[in-house]
Amino acid sequence: MMDVDTCAVVALPKFTDARGSLSFVEAGVHVPFAIERVYYLYDLSKDAGRGAHAHKDLHQLMIPLAGSFDIVLDDGAQKRRIHLASPSEGLYICPMIWRDLENFEPNSVCLVLASRKYDEADYFRDYDAFLKARNPA
């Protein structure tokens, strides 16, 4: 089963000239999955927490389009905090990893590329149920 060390910051291509910068993401190149859904978080309060769940099968890439924030990854045995602050990098999160998003800088925007369409059955929203699935007795 995958753990927090499977999750990784992905450097995205960045092209800069006098007009500004451009970055892009290609499925199968920068992310190890086909992109089925794209969504974004915005109007986030610094004290607001997002996430607080895990996915059974979904893969994601989270990109800070504006501002910065932290993502706390948890595989039930270890935790890892990642600070994202550049739109030329994203965080790949594999299935079966609990995630909490926090410490949003004002005007932050988080873009999420997902491997599947929304499916409530793919979520663990209860931490104890997640731990039990990670470590069946």
Side-chain angles (χ1 to χ4, degrees), residues 45-61:
S45 164
K46 177 173 178 49
D47 299 325
R50 299 293 307 223
H53 65 269
H55 291 280
K56 297 172 185 172
D57 297 310
L58 184 80
H59 297 259
Q60 294 179 313
L61 184 73

Side-chain angles (χ1 to χ4, degrees), residues 9-54:
V9 174
V10 176
L12 302 173
K14 179 178 178 181
F15 298 95
T16 301
D17 63 21
R19 301 169 294 169
S21 298
L22 177 145
S23 290
F24 62 90
V25 179
E26 293 179 345
V29 177
H30 307 107
V31 294
F33 57 85
I35 299 165
E36 290 279 327
R37 180 168 54 116
V38 176
Y39 64 95
Y40 42 95
L41 308 171
Y42 59 99
D43 291 340
L44 302 159
S45 164
K46 177 173 178 49
D47 299 325
R50 299 293 307 223
H53 65 269

Side-chain angles (χ1 to χ4, degrees), residues 4-5 9 11 13 16 19 23 26 52 63-64 66 72 74 80 83 86 89 92 94-95 98 103 116 123 133:
V4 295
D5 293 328
V9 174
T16 301
R19 301 169 294 169
S23 290
E26 293 179 345
I63 303 168
V72 179
D74 180 346
R80 189 169 146 213
H83 182 73
S86 172
E89 66 182 12
Y92 166 69
C94 59
W98 190 270
N103 298 325
R116 300 176 64 181
Y123 283 76

Side-chain angles (χ1 to χ4, degrees), residues 57-80:
D57 297 310
L58 184 80
H59 297 259
Q60 294 179 313
L61 184 73
M62 294 188 176
I63 303 168
L65 292 185
S68 67
F69 49 90
D70 294 338
I71 302 174
V72 179
L73 305 171
D74 180 346
D75 61 20
Q78 59 181 334
K79 292 184 179 184
R80 189 169 146 213

Side-chain angles (χ1 to χ4, degrees), residues 100-112:
D100 289 297
L101 285 74
E102 54 192 36
N103 298 325
F104 293 100
E105 182 178 287
N107 300 312
S108 291
V109 177
C110 174
L111 177 71
V112 183

